[in-house]
Amino acid sequence: MSSPTRILVVEDERAIAVGLQDDLAAEGYDVAVAADGIEGERAARAGGFDLILLDLMLPNKDGLAVCRALRESGVRTPIIMLTARAQEADKILGLELGADDYVTKPFSSRELRARVRAVLRRAADAAAGPGVFERGDLVVDFNRYETRRAGQSVALTPTEYRLLAALVRHPGRVLSVSELIDLAWGTGIALTDRVVYTHVNNLRAKIEPDPSEPVIVVGVRGVGYKLGE
Ligand code: CA
């Protein structure tokens, strides 16, 4: 028997935390709760979780700061941010900082469960991955989440890996921005095109021989992006 999927809930509002814990435990997940940002970050770093539900407004250290700290230190566990409707700008910032998805409070347990399943499935797909991509002195190992250029380690974010994986999986095809959003973030996510451009440019800066003349993530004006030949 495989071990249960482990979810960390970082949420200071006790009623919400308990509700999430009950709901997710009923789905068969193994759930741990942390009640503030510092405790949550510590638990997330200790590892062993398959998914983190991270509230935005937390005592001691807010969710965005926790998300940033985790990603900067190489923790790649998928993160779903829990936000309030008024925090629209923070959602975008959260996704830019490496969160995988967000759910707006108040959410139904059904919606939450669907998002959790989708993010876990995407993580499993990404883990199965397109293997290893090589181009010139660039080697991207999608299984190990390791990237090297001329032997030097390059740190890509989980979103950058998924963006590149989407292109590598569809060689010879131009993917529209909305297709890229579906493939790299998941269907049903409302993202502005600008967020995609930002991630594409960050990715190019890390992997392109000359980011001003991209030959790997190639833009097709008015359509989208394709993998360079
Ligand atoms: Ca809160």
Side-chain angles (χ1 to χ4, degrees):
M1 211 175 86
S2 60
S3 55
T5 301
R6 298 192 66 217
I7 299 179
L8 173 65
V9 173
V10 188
E11 169 63 83
D12 58 309
E13 286 167 75
R14 192 164 159 71
I16 296 178
V18 169
L20 283 169
Q21 188 165 30
D22 289 351
D23 255 16
L24 294 169
E27 290 285 294
Y29 299 116
D30 183 358
V31 185
V33 174
D36 72 54
I38 289 175
E39 193 193 325
E41 186 179 332
R42 194 182 301 129
R45 280 179 195 281
F49 292 100
D50 300 289
L51 176 68
I52 300 166
L53 299 183
L54 181 59
D55 187 32
L56 197 62
M57 304 293 281
L58 289 168
N60 297 330
K61 190 166 189 177
D62 72 57
L64 288 176
V66 172
C67 181
R68 186 201 309 261
L70 290 174
R71 292 304 185 231
E72 280 178 359
S73 63
V75 174
R76 296 189 189 85
T77 313
I79 294 174
I80 299 178
M81 305 278 316
L82 309 178
T83 68
R85 210 167 289 281
Q87 296 161 338
E88 194 68 36
D90 289 334
K91 289 176 195 171
I92 303 300
L93 185 56
L95 293 171
E96 287 179 350
L97 290 176
D100 295 82
D101 199 355
Y102 56 82
V103 176
T104 305
K105 290 177 181 175
F107 48 80
S108 68
S109 44
R110 185 177 160 175
E111 179 189 1
L112 193 272
R113 288 198 302 264
R115 290 300 180 94
V116 164
R117 275 197 300 269
V119 168
L120 287 170
R121 189 173 56 236
R122 231 158 56 225
D125 285 352
V132 177
F133 170 71
E134 292 188 53
R135 182 65 60 91
D137 64 4
L138 175 74
V139 181
V140 181
D141 185 333
F142 290 99
N143 297 325
R144 295 167 175 273
Y145 283 94
E146 283 173 5
T147 298
R148 293 188 165 270
R149 255 179 90 174
Q152 298 292 308
S153 180
V154 178
L156 302 190
T157 66
T159 301
E160 288 160 3
Y161 274 108
R162 289 199 301 270
L163 268 177
L164 185 58
L167 295 169
V168 169
R169 281 197 178 109
H170 299 91
R173 251 193 71 195
V174 180
L175 298 177
S176 68
V177 170
S178 63
E179 280 178 307
L180 273 178
I181 291 172
D182 285 352
L183 291 166
W185 280 271
T187 17
I189 303 266
L191 274 190
T192 61
D193 291 1
R194 191 181 63 83
V195 175
V196 178
Y197 304 148
T198 303
H199 284 282
V200 164
N201 286 333
N202 292 343
L203 175 62
R204 281 171 165 167
K206 293 176 185 178
I207 66 169
E208 293 282 353
D210 175 4
S212 68
E213 296 282 342
V215 293
I216 300 172
V217 182
V218 177
V220 179
R221 190 173 291 274
V223 188
Y225 297 94
K226 65 173 185 178
L227 186 70
E229 304 285 318

